[in-house]
Amino acid sequence: MCGRYASTRSPQELARLFQVTDWQPEETLEPSWNVAPTDRVYAVLERADRDGDDEGRVRRELRALRWGLVPSWAKDPGAGARMINARVETVHEKPAYRRAFAKRRCLLPADGFYEWERVEDEATGKPRKRPYFIHPADGGPMAMAGLYEYWRDPDVRDDDDPAAWLATCTIITTDATDATGRVHPRMPLALSPDDHAAWLDPGHHDTAALRALLARPAGGLLDARPVSPAVNNVRNNGPHLLDPAD
């Protein structure tokens, strides 16, 4: 699974890296070295205009969504905290994800992610979890494949009220490769830049072709290094979390 990651790039840099045409300054997020479930996170997605002079034009947007997907049919948003990850093997058929897989796909930019390895504490002999930061060896961004969804709050009467809609997302995971495999059996599925357009295209509904894009993680070596257990606490944040552990 992927339960924590780092996202510190500015919206201006992400817009350049992912060829974004639309982003709202009021959705600017603070850099985070300890992104946790239910946090708001950046997502790159494409939507087609439905009215006005630009009807039919597809816009690539940078949006701030809540991490933890809430299906449109959910009775309340509480389910989102349990749906931070979707397995690539079943994401196209699970009721919670299949509509989003067909219509609402996104990329979730990250500097890297954290995983925990179970080890024996030398002092006590008891098992403990050692955190690792796993990231592209070249220092570039990861584009984690994701899905997004809108949930309508029934307690808000007006559809035009921003409070009526909750936008959420999930990260697609796959079998671990590279350095990740020795730490944890699963990892986020990062897409190659060559596949970004096809994955984001809101008019692309061919399930088989979309699944083919997720056949393997993007090429490139990953680096894994042990970091401070301070990352275990979601209240801790800052660049010191990426410092190599003693």
Side-chain angles (χ1 to χ4, degrees):
M1 65 177 294
C2 174
R4 215 75 67 77
Y5 68 95
S7 178
T8 65
R9 287 176 166 85
S10 70
Q12 293 87 348
E13 183 178 4
L14 292 175
R16 176 180 59 81
L17 290 169
F18 291 94
Q19 292 81 53
V20 167
T21 57
D22 293 77
W23 70 276
Q24 304 299 321
E26 61 269 23
E27 291 194 353
T28 298
L29 304 175
E30 293 295 323
S32 178
W33 290 262
N34 201 358
V35 178
T38 73
D39 284 352
R40 294 175 74 220
V41 300
Y42 283 127
V44 178
L45 53 91
E46 289 188 353
R47 294 195 300 171
D49 282 318
R50 297 184 178 180
D51 51 34
D53 296 336
D54 292 326
E55 183 175 356
R57 181 178 74 94
V58 173
R59 300 176 299 167
R60 183 170 292 189
E61 304 178 359
L62 183 67
R63 296 291 311 278
L65 312 180
R66 197 180 81 169
W67 184 17
L69 189 137
V70 180
S72 60
W73 42 261
K75 293 183 179 180
D76 62 71
R82 301 188 301 274
M83 297 185 184
I84 61 171
N85 292 162
R87 295 177 65 91
V88 68
E89 296 87 351
T90 56
V91 66
H92 63 292
E93 59 189 12
K94 288 285 187 180
Y97 305 120
R98 62 189 179 198
R99 288 183 61 185
F101 184 81
K103 298 182 178 181
R104 287 176 285 277
R105 299 173 299 275
C106 63
L107 298 172
L108 300 165
D111 304 338
F113 60 98
Y114 299 97
E115 285 297 355
W116 283 258
E117 179 186 34
R118 186 176 293 275
V119 297
E120 182 179 291
D121 191 298
E122 295 180 359
T124 66
K126 296 180 179 179
R128 64 179 178 86
K129 289 186 176 182
R130 174 189 293 158
Y132 282 78
F133 182 62
I134 302 167
H135 62 95
D138 63 5
M142 295 183 69
M144 301 185 294
L147 309 175
Y148 70 99
E149 190 58 275
Y150 294 103
W151 180 77
R152 177 67 168 85
D153 187 341
D155 294 331
V156 181
R157 292 187 177 183
D158 186 358
D159 280 350
D160 294 328
D161 186 339
W165 300 95
L166 176 64
T168 62
C169 61
T170 190
I171 296 171
I172 297 176
T173 66
T174 188
D175 287 335
T177 60
D178 292 314
T180 316
R182 67 182 176 85
V183 178
H184 194 277
R186 302 291 292 183
M187 65 179 285
L189 200 158
L191 286 178
S192 164
D194 292 341
D195 294 328
H196 290 181
W199 177 250
L200 295 176
D201 182 0
H204 190 175
H205 306 305
D206 186 329
T207 300
L210 289 166
R211 290 191 66 201
L213 297 176
L214 304 176
R216 62 179 58 190
L221 296 175
L222 294 174
D223 178 58
R225 67 173 183 269
V227 292
S228 167
V231 72
N232 297 349
N233 189 329
V234 296
R235 292 188 292 272
N236 293 331
N237 213 318
H240 66 282
L241 296 181
L242 304 187
D243 292 341
D246 294 336

